[in-house]
Amino acid sequence: MSQASAVPGRRLGEAGVQFKKQGRFARFMTLERTSGVVCALPFIIGFLVFLLVPILLSFYYTLTDYSIIGEAKFIGIQNYLDMFSDDKFFKSLGVTFFYALVSTPLRLVFALFVAMLLLKNSKVSGFYRAAYYLPSILGGSVAVAILWKQMFAADGVVNQVLGMFGLETDFAWLGNESTAIWTLIILGVWQFGSSMLIFLASLKQIPTELYEAASVDGASKARQFWKITLPLLTPTIFFNLVMQSINGFLAFTQCYIITQGKPRNSTLFYMVYMYDESFTRHHAGYGAALAWVMLLIVGLYTGFLFLTKRFWVYDEEA
Amino acid sequence: MKNIKKILAGATAVATLMAMAACGSSNESGDASDSQNLTIAWWGNQDRNEKQDAIDKAFEAANEGVSIDGQPSEWSDYWQKLSTSAAGDSMPDVIAMDYSYFNEYVENGLIIPLDEYIEDGTIDTTNIDESILASGQKDGSQYLISSGSSSPAMIYNKTLLDEAGIEMPEEMDLDEFKALAKEVYEKTGVKTNFRYYEASELLEYVMRGEGKTLFEDEGLGVTAEDVEPYFDVYEEGINEGWHISPEVFAEITAGSVDQDPVVYGSDPSSMSWVSFKFTSQMPAMQALTDDDLALAPWPAADVTAANYIKPGQFWAISKSCENPQLAAEFINYYTNNEDAVTTMGTDRGLPVSSAMMTVLEEQLSADEQEIATFLNDVVTPNSSAINPPSPAAASTVNSQTLPEIEENILYGAITAKDAAATFVEEANGAY
């Protein structure tokens, strides 16, 4: 595009000059903003048809008794009222909060730790970065979930490794109420790759002068970490914390494949409960209501995190 | 700016129209289409899927231009897939149906009556017993054609019992069963699985043995006192050590034939000598073990009152089907073609057509012969009519209420007495 045109948006393309006399349609089609909208159209249609319409429909279903295979009957806010007397709703909410609030900080600490190790540039660091990122790509997959189930079985790899250290055991990690949730948390922590990459990128952003100045002043490595690295990383930590906790609240595959909420609903994730209600027990209206309550919870939680932001997140402009 | 608004408005309109069109399309094209493609969905295991594939291929070969798309699933996934496809009006053409879901699907108009295809001879039912046909009827119309007869049966490890010198009685009640399970455990270390975490057929069966109906139309037909002996089995079993620990089940898919504790597991403490299944599941289980498996009726106070012949599975035509004529031909092929019947063998139960049964009898394997003998000589003379199809509430009881209460007993969280009271309260609440 030439810089000659004075009115942005009204500017004609090369082809537009030729069609100048051929009417308003041709002119309209060559407007820059027309092409912009046309290019965005697939997304806009996709958003409207595949997201907005289902979202609005699902809200309507929260107000109905809908069995999926039958007609939806309007029942007002009864589904929301039913939740108050639903023990399993509170149980699954508790489990999900525990999972999200335990696995997220652990994962971030781990991700930061590995990112610090991989910060040094050497010939193999590229390989290691890729290798450590791999679990995040695989972690949500069904295959890894099945593998995990086998590993923590009574005669699985975990017990065999413990056996090599002299701890002979056939402990059923997945069958015990106090340990089953931890196998899922460990799987969650293992998927630290994407947070690690983000940490890595922002660690590289920290100006080296700060460290040079600090070491001239005689600050130890540990002190440099606490006084320079960590404060400058807080915006990244904040971002990771928000994104990963939302992921935690919405976790599904691990529970669905590995434990299915067993034993005694001690690993019943909210999303799996919602899925079971909707598709196994045909209470799709109630399931939709559960989904909207989760939306509200995630919204409130994220809002709360943003409120705390000014107390601990370093803001360069301030 | 105006233009953008116009375009957005236009896009919204187009999108809405498209969405509406997508919803409407499959309703309109009901019967006129002469599509030669059939999708056929069923639940099953590896063994059955291979047999069904062979039948589908033979049907394609016999009917030029027809192509069949088979869609097998595991039992629990099957119903989730089917219900979501029903909501989207994109159900497979021919679907396997179970007795327990029959009511729900008919009441919502999701399967079509087969009467016209039976009248014009497309589906030949002349050799099918009246009582078997009747189990697929509702409100005077035939909706389902049974794909095989079976009955409840304990599939037990005969080799194990023989080696331990334990005799399997012909019939028993719950107390005798508990004593037997204890004896097996003491002599062999192998435990018992009392149909843990599966649907409620065993409880229903035990209730039939007491002359009671578990699911009535408006609520349970039983009280907490009635069901307590059933839950007692779990409580005594776990306290005395002969019932499999629930921890074992955290690692396997309950109800799956391939992972049944009779054939799966590495240690006597995680294995069972018995599985409460149906006769049709015997060949698939036998294929997974070298030990000799055998059949016996489930325990009940009065086995004759409790036992029944069950239409193993049914075929139905969904309302989304574009070529019901072809679908009906397929059902007829499955039911009345010698090749199809001998290919499937007894995997879904014994053939419902008496003519086909005669054909099959000549080529039954030893296992299959055992099933035929069991059904004909043990069950048929000592059984009663099957209960009417369960109400919709049963799906919540089967998938949630009963399994979770059994789990609570095995983990020692509640007593059998409390379990019985909770069960009756929650199951009635599901109506």
Side-chain angles (χ1 to χ4, degrees):
Chain A
M1 294 287 160
S2 70
Q3 292 181 337
S5 183
V7 192
R10 286 278 176 204
R11 190 171 55 186
L12 298 174
E14 305 260 305
V17 180
Q18 286 172 14
F19 289 121
K20 212 169 186 176
K21 289 172 186 163
Q22 293 182 3
R24 295 182 57 195
F25 182 69
R27 270 180 55 173
F28 171 72
M29 285 307 287
T30 50
L31 282 179
E32 208 170 67
R33 64 165 178 246
T34 311
S35 57
V37 170
V38 168
C39 288
L41 211 55
F43 171 78
I44 295 172
I45 292 177
F47 174 78
L48 291 172
V49 177
F50 296 114
L51 283 170
L52 195 64
V53 171
I55 286 171
L56 294 178
L57 265 180
S58 87
F59 184 73
Y60 167 70
Y61 285 137
T62 66
L63 305 175
T64 63
D65 178 12
Y66 179 44
S67 73
I68 294 196
I69 60 172
E71 294 294 315
K73 283 191 292 276
F74 189 81
I75 53 166
I77 59 165
Q78 190 58 44
N79 282 326
Y80 293 98
L81 297 178
D82 284 347
M83 279 179 215
F84 289 103
S85 56
D86 180 0
D87 293 342
K88 244 178 140 179
F89 163 72
F90 289 109
K91 176 84 187 176
S92 65
L93 207 55
V95 169
T96 309
F97 261 83
F98 180 75
Y99 172 78
L101 298 185
V102 171
S103 74
T104 309
L106 282 178
R107 181 191 296 185
L108 293 190
V109 169
F110 206 59
L112 182 57
F113 176 71
V114 178
M116 299 282 286
L117 289 181
L118 296 179
L119 190 58
K120 282 204 185 101
N121 271 317
S122 73
K123 279 178 185 167
V124 287
S125 59
F127 167 76
Y128 278 116
R129 281 172 206 162
Y132 284 112
Y133 184 57
L134 211 56
S136 319
I137 307 175
L138 298 174
S141 80
V142 172
V144 167
I146 291 173
L147 178 77
W148 217 253
K149 193 171 176 175
Q150 302 281 343
M151 276 174 56
F152 283 93
D155 55 354
V157 172
V158 172
N159 280 342
Q160 284 170 16
V161 170
L162 286 176
M164 285 196 297
F165 290 103
L167 296 161
E168 288 293 339
T169 177
D170 57 354
F171 189 78
W173 299 95
L174 295 169
N176 194 295
E177 271 185 80
S178 50
T179 54
I181 185 74
W182 286 97
T183 65
L184 300 183
I185 289 175
I186 293 171
L187 176 58
V189 173
W190 184 58
Q191 298 165 257
F192 59 86
S194 62
S195 314
M196 175 197 78
L197 282 191
I198 297 170
F199 276 134
L200 207 52
S202 71
L203 279 172
K204 289 188 173 179
Q205 300 276 322
I206 300 175
T208 45
E209 298 90 67
L210 293 177
Y211 294 107
E212 284 162 11
S215 54
V216 168
D217 288 346
S220 67
K221 285 280 175 197
R223 202 174 160 83
Q224 286 179 23
F225 174 79
W226 290 108
K227 293 291 176 190
I228 300 173
T229 314
L230 212 53
L232 287 177
L233 272 184
T234 46
T236 316
I237 295 176
F238 177 76
F239 171 78
N240 274 335
L241 187 63
V242 172
M243 298 306 289
Q244 300 296 337
S245 347
I246 293 177
N247 276 347
F249 285 128
L250 303 183
F252 175 83
T253 323
Q254 303 91 315
C255 168
Y256 185 69
I257 305 281
I258 302 176
T259 64
Q260 301 212 305
K262 283 186 248 179
R264 295 190 64 226
N265 299 328
S266 65
T267 62
L268 184 70
F269 284 2
Y270 191 87
M271 286 295 130
V272 174
Y273 179 51
M274 184 189 97
Y275 178 87
D276 280 347
E277 275 296 315
S278 304
F279 300 111
T280 307
R281 293 187 281 278
H282 293 180
H283 300 151
Y286 188 64
L290 288 173
W292 278 82
V293 167
M294 188 36 112
L295 179 72
L296 184 73
I297 290 170
V298 169
L300 287 175
Y301 176 78
T302 314
F304 169 75
L305 282 186
F306 270 90
L307 281 181
T308 66
K309 199 177 168 190
R310 62 193 180 99
F311 297 111
W312 63 279
V313 177
Y314 172 75
D315 187 353
E316 224 164 323
E317 284 162 22
Chain B
M1 226 30 222
K2 250 184 186 170
N3 278 334
I4 292 182
K5 275 186 190 158
K6 268 186 195 163
I7 290 169
L8 276 176
T12 319
V14 169
T16 319
L17 277 175
M18 274 166 47
M20 286 164 72
C23 295
S25 65
S26 37
N27 283 338
E28 297 155 16
S29 56
D31 45 16
S33 164
D34 53 352
S35 163
Q36 294 294 299
N37 300 324
L38 276 187
T39 45
I40 296 176
W42 71 92
W43 69 88
N45 46 59
Q46 189 67 27
D47 195 32
R48 179 180 301 160
N49 300 347
E50 282 165 15
K51 289 173 178 167
Q52 182 68 44
D53 276 339
I55 294 175
D56 295 350
K57 292 228 166 60
F59 185 72
E60 279 176 346
N63 295 273
E64 208 173 317
V66 171
S67 82
I68 290 188
D69 176 20
Q71 300 181 343
S73 313
E74 282 256 345
W75 165 263
S76 60
D77 302 330
Y78 178 80
W79 297 104
Q80 290 168 3
K81 273 167 79 175
L82 196 61
S83 60
T84 37
S85 64
D89 198 6
S90 59
M91 293 168 91
D93 300 313
V94 179
I95 55 178
M97 182 48 53
D98 185 74
Y99 203 57
S100 53
Y101 286 85
F102 179 26
N103 266 345
E104 232 177 324
Y105 276 77
V106 172
E107 280 164 13
N108 288 298
L110 296 170
I111 51 183
I112 61 170
L114 306 175
D115 300 322
E116 59 173 302
Y117 305 104
I118 292 171
E119 274 159 33
D120 71 11
T122 311
I123 301 178
D124 178 11
T125 58
T126 43
N127 291 320
I128 303 179
D129 190 75
E130 254 327 295
S131 68
I132 294 178
L133 282 177
S135 60
Q137 289 164 354
K138 191 166 161 66
D139 304 330
S141 283
Q142 188 82 37
Y143 284 93
L144 310 174
I145 299 290
S146 171
S147 52
S149 307
S150 66
S151 81
M154 286 198 269
I155 301 178
Y156 68 94
N157 189 329
K158 190 165 187 304
T159 309
L160 183 84
L161 262 58
D162 285 351
E163 280 170 6
I166 299 169
E167 178 114 14
M168 186 77 172
E170 278 181 18
E171 286 183 4
M172 34 185 166
D173 61 23
L174 282 185
D175 287 333
E176 286 161 341
F177 176 78
K178 286 188 282 194
L180 180 66
K182 198 173 175 182
E183 190 187 354
V184 173
Y185 175 61
E186 280 163 0
K187 288 186 175 164
T188 67
V190 175
K191 299 196 176 188
T192 297
N193 169 22
F194 192 62
R195 200 172 165 81
Y196 173 65
Y197 226 88
E198 293 184 53
S200 60
E201 279 98 342
L202 178 54
L203 176 58
E204 185 179 47
Y205 178 98
V206 171
M207 292 301 102
R208 279 166 60 92
E210 305 282 345
K212 301 197 164 73
T213 308
L214 179 59
F215 294 112
E216 284 180 349
D217 288 342
E218 303 301 326
L220 290 191
V222 296
T223 63
E225 267 174 21
D226 296 332
V227 296
E228 196 182 324
Y230 173 84
F231 293 114
D232 264 338
V233 177
Y234 291 104
E235 189 176 56
E236 279 180 37
I238 204 73
N239 288 343
E240 293 173 4
W242 50 260
H243 195 286
I244 295 190
S245 142
E247 292 163 1
V248 172
F249 290 92
E251 294 167 15
I252 59 179
T253 309
S256 153
V257 169
D258 300 336
Q259 297 186 354
D260 192 284
V262 170
V263 295
Y264 189 87
S266 50
D267 188 78
S269 67
S270 63
M271 296 191 70
S272 169
W273 61 276
V274 64
S275 180
F276 287 80
K277 294 285 182 198
F278 287 79
T279 51
S280 53
Q281 286 157 316
M282 164 91 160
M285 273 177 68
Q286 182 65 71
L288 297 167
T289 174
D290 293 332
D291 288 354
D292 188 22
L293 303 184
L295 300 167
W298 287 356
D302 178 352
V303 171
T304 304
N307 217 349
Y308 55 91
I309 297 281
K310 188 194 179 202
Q313 300 185 17
F314 296 96
W315 289 119
I317 302 179
S318 78
K319 71 155 185 177
S320 320
C321 180
E322 291 184 352
N323 191 347
Q325 176 67 30
L326 184 67
E329 281 167 25
F330 176 82
I331 292 176
N332 185 57
Y333 181 82
Y334 183 94
T335 314
N336 292 313
N337 182 287
E338 284 187 21
D339 290 338
V341 168
T342 48
T343 305
M344 189 47 77
T346 59
D347 193 278
R348 284 198 176 94
L350 297 184
V352 289
S353 153
S354 53
M356 288 302 116
M357 188 60 223
T358 322
V359 171
L360 187 66
E361 258 172 352
E362 292 161 11
Q363 22 187 318
L364 287 178
S365 69
D367 293 337
E368 292 171 334
Q369 190 60 57
E370 203 176 322
I371 296 173
T373 314
F374 180 75
L375 275 171
N376 292 335
D377 300 352
V378 179
V379 182
T380 310
N382 300 304
S383 60
S384 314
I386 190 170
N387 286 3
S390 326
S395 73
T396 300
V397 174
N398 286 338
S399 72
Q400 175 177 278
T401 317
L402 185 65
E404 287 184 0
I405 286 173
E406 290 168 0
E407 187 180 32
N408 279 328
I409 303 174
L410 289 194
Y411 273 100
I414 48 172
T415 63
K417 196 170 166 51
D418 293 343
T422 315
F423 174 78
V424 170
E425 189 193 326
E426 288 189 9
N428 275 319
Y431 272 87

